[in-house]
Amino acid sequence: MDRRRHLGRRPMPMTFQAHNIKIPNIYEHASGTVLAIAGKDFVVIGCDTGVCSDNAILSRTQTKLCPISDQMVLATAGCWSDAVALTNQLKMEQQFYEREHFKSMSIESMAQMLSVVQYQRRHLPYDVCPILGGIDQDGQGAVYIYDCIGLLQREGYCAEGSAGAMLQPLLDSQIGCHETVTKERALSIAKDALIMAARSDQYTGDLVIINIITRDGIELHQMELSQN
């Protein structure tokens, strides 16, 4: 072979096979299920406590409910790191408001604040399904739901998370056809719905934590679920 031709060749680029390297997913879902039911003067908002990653169980005791004030709770399902970042930001905004105005932010204002926070992150949105529940300025129960860029809507009840699509028809049949629902009835429906979710959804399980929000504060209920 001609030595000049051999020396003039460009070296072949080196390629690396990375078949065994797993690229981390920044939007890895921790799954789980959250729901909320608004009544005349109360809100029942609940969640399971399982946190999963693929087939690994990361925690069995992690609540997805975050009290923002004595009459307001945020429930989040989806990417757990995004849920923590979002709830921390809302708690910080609530603290700034209390220092400046010497009172807690109303749920109407917090609902708009949450919408603005999500819209500001529209290019890299929080991958969560938030439900904001609490007592409004008229003393009525209020539940707000959102899409990924902050479009908000007030509803009487809602279910989100890995079993949300399965539980929403149940809530429609149990609550949607009735004009009013009592606090005891709403609590019973929430417990039954989360039990059904634990039996049918592998990402829902371990414990049920339910907060009942009234003008007097937040009442805590807890119940064991089957471990998946």
Side-chain angles (χ1 to χ4, degrees):
M1 180 183 293
D2 189 349
R3 181 176 176 81
R4 289 176 298 179
R5 292 179 58 190
H6 175 70
L7 294 176
R9 291 180 179 177
R10 294 182 178 180
M12 296 295 293
M14 297 181 65
T15 60
F16 296 92
Q17 299 296 327
H19 299 295
N20 297 325
I21 299 177
K22 182 178 179 181
I23 299 175
N25 181 10
I26 63 172
Y27 282 144
E28 188 172 18
H29 274 240
S31 300
T33 303
V34 295
L35 59 81
I37 302 170
K40 183 177 181 181
D41 56 356
F42 69 89
V43 170
V44 172
I45 186 166
C47 71
D48 72 306
T49 61
V51 178
C52 304
S53 174
D54 294 330
N55 294 323
I57 298 175
L58 305 180
S59 176
R60 294 186 181 276
T61 59
Q62 180 60 59
T63 180
K64 299 176 179 68
L65 304 182
C66 177
I68 304 298
S69 71
D70 293 338
Q71 298 181 355
M72 198 186 317
V73 174
L74 178 69
T76 53
C79 179
W80 181 242
S81 59
D82 279 0
V84 172
L86 179 60
T87 53
N88 286 341
Q89 184 171 355
L90 292 183
K91 287 191 292 185
M92 183 177 62
E93 296 289 350
Q94 173 76 332
Q95 291 172 1
F96 288 157
Y97 185 90
E98 288 179 352
R99 292 175 183 175
E100 183 174 354
H101 300 280
F102 304 101
K103 64 177 182 179
S104 297
M105 191 183 301
S106 67
I107 191 171
E108 292 91 343
S109 299
M110 180 56 73
Q112 188 62 40
M113 173 67 71
L114 177 53
S115 176
V116 171
V117 167
Q118 287 190 282
Y119 186 74
Q120 289 174 342
R121 282 286 302 266
R122 63 191 180 277
H123 300 299
L124 187 63
Y126 290 114
D127 191 20
V128 296
C129 301
I131 302 178
L132 182 65
I135 306 300
D136 66 13
Q137 294 178 337
D138 297 325
Q140 304 290 318
V143 169
Y144 291 90
I145 61 174
Y146 300 82
D147 67 3
C148 62
I149 60 171
L151 179 63
L152 67 89
Q153 186 173 351
R154 182 167 176 172
E155 296 286 353
Y157 54 89
C158 183
E160 295 284 4
S162 56
M166 176 178 61
L167 296 186
Q168 192 63 39
L170 173 65
L171 298 181
D172 290 337
S173 63
Q174 295 294 319
I175 303 173
C177 58
H178 302 283
E179 294 182 358
T180 59
V181 60
T182 64
K183 182 167 58 177
E184 293 75 17
R185 176 62 175 162
L187 179 60
S188 176
I189 292 173
K191 288 181 177 179
D192 291 344
L194 289 170
I195 289 172
M196 186 181 75
R199 291 173 178 173
S200 304
D201 177 36
Q202 64 175 334
Y203 297 111
T204 302
D206 301 300
L207 295 173
V208 165
I209 294 180
I210 294 177
N211 288 345
I212 301 178
I213 311 169
T214 64
R215 278 190 174 275
D216 298 327
I218 300 174
E219 180 182 348
L220 175 64
H221 289 259
Q222 186 170 307
M223 179 182 64
E224 291 188 1
L225 285 173
S226 60
Q227 295 183 355
N228 296 317

